[in-house]
Every structure is written in C-alpha cells, then in structure tokens.
Amino acid sequence: MLTVADIMTPNATTIASGATVADAIDLMQQQQIRALLVEHRSQDMPFGMVTERDIVYTVVARGHNPEAVLVQDIMRQPCISLAPDLTIQEASQVLSDTGVQRAPVVQDGQLLGVISVTDILMRGMPTPVLSR
C-alpha cells in the first residue's frame, strides 16, 4: 500500500516568514510552483503555507504592493502537516476534511517534503486496466 512518503515531493521550497510577497512571487516563478512552505521560527512552531491563491486574493485583488506586504501577513498558519507513513487514503481524507490542497510532510519536527492533491491523483492512484 502506497504511503505519503512514496509519492510526496521531496525538497519542498521554503521561504522565510519575514520575506516580502514580491520575494515569494519571484521564487514561485523561478521554481514554477504554486505554493511555498513558510519556515517556522522554532521547532515547536508549525510550518505556514502561502499559495498563489493567497497572493492573488489577499494582495493583488486588494491593490496592495507586494513589496510592502510580508509573507507572514498572508500565510496560513498553522497549516496541517501529514506524517510520511500515512496511507494515500488517510492523507486524502485529511486533505478532504480540512479543505486544503497541499500539506507539508513532517516527521519529528523535520520537513521531509510536501504532498498535494495533484500528487495523489498523478502518482497515488492505480493505473486503470482497460479491457479489450
């Protein structure tokens, strides 16, 4: 049975909470990704998450200057995190129950990667066998 660790994206891209939204936009464009994990300031704090949707809805749509807004002002924190040994079904249920698209994969306070609904669909689902 596949687990979160089997299909997660390792080496998730992170950004400091004190970075500007403009910095986040630049990093997302360079990496061609839709979300960044926001680094936690201490081990006992959860990770945050900032997504393209957060930026568009909270900054762009309201006419704010991305150079003047900090990531910590628009990030979602705490964001849920998933253990690497969860099954794909368990992870899917957590994402469904919380309504989030992606979550960091964390074990013993260490960031291992990130998993998204796209990962589950593209890598966590069995390929259907078509009969002729």
Side-chain angles (χ1 to χ4, degrees):
M1 185 173 291
L2 285 176
T3 65
V4 166
D6 295 325
I7 67 166
M8 71 180 185
T9 301
N11 306 317
T13 304
T14 63
I15 192 164
S17 61
T20 67
V21 170
D23 294 331
I25 293 168
D26 287 343
L27 185 55
M28 292 167 90
Q29 288 174 340
Q30 288 171 17
Q31 299 291 318
Q32 296 183 339
I33 54 178
R34 300 173 67 180
L36 297 167
L37 288 173
V38 182
E39 299 165 358
H40 51 137
R41 294 181 191 169
S42 65
Q43 284 295 88
D44 59 335
M45 288 182 64
F47 287 94
M49 176 87 58
V50 65
T51 67
E52 63 186 359
R53 179 178 280 183
D54 298 326
I55 293 169
V56 170
Y57 290 4
T58 309
V59 179
V60 178
R62 293 193 169 110
H64 298 301
N65 179 358
E67 294 282 351
V69 179
L70 299 180
V71 168
Q72 67 192 11
D73 296 332
I74 68 165
M75 71 180 187
R76 288 182 237 170
Q77 188 186 33
C79 65
I80 63 151
S81 60
L82 299 177
D85 58 349
L86 285 178
T87 67
I88 299 308
Q89 182 179 3
E90 291 168 330
S92 298
Q93 188 66 54
V94 171
L95 295 176
S96 173
D97 290 348
T98 58
V100 299
Q101 299 278 320
R102 58 190 58 80
V105 180
V106 178
Q107 185 172 40
D108 300 325
Q110 297 297 315
L111 177 64
L112 303 179
V114 66
I115 187 166
S116 69
V117 294
T118 303
D119 295 327
I120 293 169
L121 181 64
M122 302 306 269
R123 297 188 289 227
M125 302 299 297
T127 303
V129 177
L130 302 175
S131 60
R132 293 184 176 211

